[in-house]
Amino acid sequence: EVQLVESGGGLVQPGGSLRLSCAASGFTFSSYEMNWVRQAPGKGLEWVSYISSSGSTIYYADSVKGRFTISRDNAKNSLYLQMNSLRAEDTAVYYCAAIGAFDIWGQGTMVTVSS
Amino acid sequence: DIQMTQSPSSLSASVGDRVTITCRASQGIRNDLGWYQQKPGKAPKRLIYAASSLQSGVPSRFSGSGSGTEFTLTISSLQPEDFATYYCLQHNSYSITFGQGTRLEIK
C-alpha cells in the first residue's frame, strides 16, 4: 500500500523545537519531490517547504525561512522537518505530501505551540 | 509568488444541484493545477489533476477545466458525500500555493 505516515508532533512552548518525520512506503520514495504543508485550526492549507528527490534543491515559505529545515534520507525512505524558534502561529496540522504528477498525502501530525 | 484567488468562499446547495468553483492565478500556470476535496479531520484528496484530468477512482460527476489563469471545478449533480471543503492548488512554481478554499454546505 502506498502511504506516508507522519510522526513527531506534540505540544511545545514558544521558542522551542520539534522534529517531524514522515515515513514512506509502497513506492520508490527516492524518485519523488516532497513537501510539507500545514493547516492551522479552522484555516486553509499553507505550503511550508519543498525538497527535490535527491535533496539538492530546497525551498521554504517566507513564514518559516530561517527557522525550519527540511531534509530527507532516501536510504530510510524518510522525510524530516526540523522546526526551531517555534511561534504560536506555527500551531497546525503538518502534512507531508508528494504533489504533482504523483500525489500522495500523509494523515498529518498536530503541532501545538503554547505556554 | 503566484497567488490563487478562489471563489466563492462558501456555497450552499442542495443534493442534485450543479455547482461551479473558480480559481484565478495571478500569472499563467499552464495546466499545473489540481483540485482537492477535504473533509473534517482528513487529509486533502485530489479529484482533478492537470486542470482537467479526473483522478482514478473519483466519480465522473467531478470535472475540471481551464488553462493559463482561469480554472473551474464543476460538480454536475451534488451527492450527500460531496459536502466538504474544496481547494485549488498550483504547482507551476517551486512555491506551491493554494486557493483560500470553498466550503460547500447543504442548503
Side-chain angles (χ1 to χ4, degrees):
Chain A
E1 180 188 4
V2 173
Q3 65 175 354
L4 296 169
V5 179
E6 301 95 337
S7 59
L11 174 64
V12 61
Q13 292 187 336
S17 298
L18 213 53
R19 188 194 196 207
L20 306 184
S21 299
C22 172
S25 59
F27 66 101
T28 307
F29 177 73
S30 60
S31 296
Y32 294 98
E33 305 165 345
M34 296 296 297
N35 297 270
W36 286 98
V37 174
R38 68 184 181 182
Q39 186 170 37
K43 302 297 184 182
L45 298 162
E46 178 190 17
W47 171 78
V48 172
S49 185
Y50 159 94
I51 187 167
S52 62
S53 56
S54 66
S56 61
T57 301
I58 286 172
Y59 300 112
Y60 298 98
D62 288 344
S63 57
V64 306
K65 201 173 295 182
R67 301 187 299 122
F68 289 12
T69 302
I70 191 172
S71 63
R72 67 190 296 163
D73 185 337
N74 286 341
K76 294 183 177 180
N77 291 330
S78 293
L79 177 72
Y80 306 101
L81 186 68
Q82 176 67 43
M83 304 186 295
N84 298 330
S85 302
L86 283 161
R87 306 166 180 167
E89 55 264 35
D90 295 319
T91 294
V93 174
Y94 285 74
Y95 296 100
C96 62
I99 296 170
F102 180 68
D103 191 275
I104 179 171
W105 295 59
Q107 85 288 352
T109 188
M110 183 71 205
V111 172
T112 302
V113 184
S114 175
S115 54
Chain B
D1 290 0
I2 298 173
Q3 308 302 317
M4 300 302 295
T5 302
Q6 184 174 340
S7 60
S9 57
S10 65
L11 181 56
S12 183
S14 301
V15 172
D17 283 353
R18 177 184 180 92
V19 300
T20 299
I21 300 168
T22 299
C23 263
R24 178 179 293 114
S26 59
Q27 64 190 70
I29 57 170
R30 301 180 302 182
N31 69 339
D32 296 329
L33 181 117
W35 288 98
Y36 290 75
Q37 178 192 68
Q38 188 180 33
K39 295 184 176 180
K42 299 294 187 181
K45 170 190 172 184
R46 190 165 72 174
L47 306 173
I48 301 289
Y49 66 96
S52 60
S53 296
L54 190 67
Q55 189 78 22
S56 176
V58 173
S60 59
R61 62 181 179 271
F62 292 93
S63 64
S65 64
S67 183
T69 61
E70 295 280 339
F71 301 89
T72 60
L73 171 71
T74 299
I75 310 172
S76 61
S77 178
L78 276 172
Q79 298 303 300
E81 60 268 29
D82 300 337
F83 292 93
T85 301
Y86 293 83
Y87 295 92
C88 62
L89 172 161
Q90 72 78 20
H91 55 93
N92 178 263
S93 72
Y94 71 86
S95 176
I96 289 168
T97 47
F98 296 88
Q100 298 91 334
T102 296
R103 184 173 180 179
L104 182 51
E105 299 174 321
I106 301 174
K107 183 181 287 184

